[in-house]
């Protein structure tokens, strides 16, 4: 409902501006007399009067002309040359280029009761020069103040985790809110970017400790999984070697080769398992007799 009412107000204000432009043609009796006298002064002082009557605006500028306090019909003039009557007309130049400004760091209390300092950058441009002059006193200053207020309002509804992870969504929400609010001013907000989120020192330490604990737990889990896989592989290798005595002898030779390569003074030769099995069987039989 609020959006519909704002659009209706915009249409109403646009209609009023159009009526005022149309009424600008009727200057009244005093205005007509002043108009004639001004033209006579221009003709008498010609060509010197051209320096005061002819003005130039650049490609990226528009001139909003007021004649006796009323906007001339046809809206803003430019780019190029335009003609004014010095005694009756006054004009204001409006820059249509995209302007960027930094929103100062705002102390915001998030929804989960955490105080953070957040700053942003806003890009906007004037899309209607006449509305930016007639509907607001200072479009640039008003947009800056509104951006700071909108930043606090939007971040106050978010958790700390959402602010840290969903910056793009927050930027889009701010851009749409600012664009809707500045539309009656003839200002188009093109982009909003959240630059930095500053956390309290104690909270930074707590988050760092939490992240370190999570990394240590993950490392222990990975090490345990590695040991489990290694034990399974060793078990399978032992079963394969047990099935083939020749493979066990080759393993002995590989062990001797690795020991001799290290230049050790003492080398231990393991006995074959076949010889040990005879003694083990005799020992087992004696134990059973006892």
């Amino acid at each position: 409902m609020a959006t519909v009412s704002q659009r209706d107000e915009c249409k109403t204000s646009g209609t009023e501006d159009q009526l005022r432009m149309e009424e600008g043609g009727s200057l009244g009796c005093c205005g007509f007399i002043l108009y004639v006298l001004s033209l006579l002064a221009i003709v008498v002082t010609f060509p010197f009067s051209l320096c005061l009557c002819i003005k130039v605006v650049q490609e990226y500028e528009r001139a909003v002309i007021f004649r006796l306090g009323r906007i001339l019909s046809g809206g803003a003039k430019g780019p190029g040359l335009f003609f004014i009557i010095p005694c009756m007309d006054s004009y204001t130049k409006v820059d249509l280029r995209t302007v960027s400004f930094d929103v100062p760091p705002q102390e915001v209390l998030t929804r989960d009761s955490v105080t953070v300092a957040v700053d942003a950058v806003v890009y906007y441009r004037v899309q209607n020069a006449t509305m930016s002059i007639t509907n607001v006193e200072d479009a640039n200053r008003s947009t800056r103040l509104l951006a700071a207020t909108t930043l606090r309002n939007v971040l106050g509804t978010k958790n700390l985790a959402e602010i840290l992870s969903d910056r793009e969504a927050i930027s889009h929400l701010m851009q749409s809110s600012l664009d809707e609010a500045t539309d009656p001013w003839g200002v188009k907000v093109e982009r909003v970017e959240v630059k930095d989120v500053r956390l309290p020192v104690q909270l930074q330490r707590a988050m760092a400790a939490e992240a370190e604990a999570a990394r240590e737990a993950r490392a222990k889990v990975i090490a345990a999984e590695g040991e489990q896989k290694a034990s399974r592989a060793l078990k399978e290798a032992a079963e394969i070697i047990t099935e083939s005595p020749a493979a066990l002898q080759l393993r002995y030779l590989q062990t001797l080769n690795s020991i001799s390569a290290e230049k050790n003074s003492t080398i231990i030769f393991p006995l074959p398992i076949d010889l040990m099995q005879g003694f083990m069987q005799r020992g087992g039989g004696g134990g059973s007799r006892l």
Side-chain angles (χ1 to χ4, degrees):
M1 296 297 292
T3 305
V4 175
S5 61
Q6 289 179 356
R7 291 178 180 175
D8 294 339
E9 291 177 358
C10 294
K11 292 180 181 179
T12 304
S13 61
T15 305
E16 292 178 355
D17 294 338
Q18 185 176 2
L19 292 175
R20 290 175 182 175
M21 293 178 186
E22 293 176 355
E23 292 175 358
S26 58
L27 300 176
C29 182
C30 295
F32 181 75
I33 295 174
L34 183 59
Y35 179 75
V36 173
L37 293 177
S38 300
L39 291 180
L40 290 176
I42 292 173
V43 171
V44 170
T45 58
F46 186 84
F48 301 101
S49 59
L50 295 179
C51 298
L52 300 176
C53 296
I54 297 177
K55 303 295 181 181
V56 180
V57 290
Q58 304 297 328
E59 180 68 29
Y60 53 83
E61 293 178 334
R62 297 294 183 270
V64 181
I65 304 175
F66 294 87
R67 177 164 294 173
L68 297 179
R70 296 179 178 180
I71 298 178
L72 289 182
S73 60
K77 306 296 183 181
L81 297 174
F82 64 95
F83 183 82
I84 64 171
I85 300 177
C87 299
M88 301 179 61
D89 297 345
S90 62
Y91 70 97
T92 303
K93 289 184 179 181
V94 179
D95 197 330
L96 302 183
R97 292 176 294 182
T98 299
V99 180
S100 62
F101 65 89
D102 293 327
V103 179
Q106 303 294 316
E107 294 288 339
V108 181
L109 183 64
T110 62
R111 192 170 62 180
D112 50 354
S113 301
V114 178
T115 303
V116 296
V118 184
D119 56 354
V121 58
V122 178
Y123 298 87
Y124 76 95
R125 62 180 176 85
V126 177
Q127 64 178 357
N128 191 318
T130 304
M131 294 175 64
S132 67
I133 295 298
T134 58
N135 292 357
V136 62
E137 180 181 0
D138 190 345
N140 186 12
R141 179 173 177 273
S142 299
T143 304
R144 290 174 182 268
L145 295 177
L146 183 61
T149 305
T150 304
L151 179 62
R152 290 194 299 268
N153 294 337
V154 170
L155 295 180
T157 61
K158 302 292 183 180
N159 294 327
L160 179 61
E162 296 175 348
I163 295 176
L164 295 176
S165 60
D166 297 337
R167 293 191 180 185
E168 185 175 357
I170 294 174
S171 299
H172 285 304
L173 181 58
M174 284 189 58
Q175 189 267 337
S176 59
S177 299
L178 283 173
D179 191 24
E180 182 180 354
T182 57
D183 186 65
W185 304 343
V187 174
K188 173 67 176 179
V189 178
E190 296 180 339
R191 189 171 183 177
V192 178
E193 292 292 340
V194 177
K195 292 176 58 178
D196 190 16
V197 179
R198 298 184 182 90
L199 303 177
V201 178
Q202 296 179 353
L203 183 59
Q204 292 180 7
R205 293 176 181 174
M207 294 179 66
E210 181 183 359
E212 184 177 359
R215 286 193 296 267
E216 290 180 356
R218 192 180 303 110
K220 291 180 180 179
V221 171
I222 294 174
E225 291 178 353
E227 291 180 358
Q228 184 181 7
K229 293 179 180 179
S231 62
R232 290 178 180 176
L234 288 174
K235 179 182 177 182
E236 294 176 358
E239 292 176 353
I240 295 173
I241 292 176
T242 303
E243 295 175 356
S244 177
L248 183 59
Q249 296 298 329
L250 291 175
R251 184 61 178 168
Y252 285 157
L253 294 176
Q254 291 179 355
T255 304
L256 290 175
N257 188 18
S258 62
I259 292 174
S260 62
E262 295 178 0
K263 298 180 181 180
N264 294 325
S265 59
T266 304
I267 298 176
I268 300 174
F269 293 92
L271 293 175
I273 295 298
D274 296 338
L275 297 177
M276 298 298 295
Q277 286 180 352
F279 292 103
M280 292 173 63
Q281 291 176 357
R282 293 178 183 178
S288 61
R289 292 174 184 176
L290 293 174

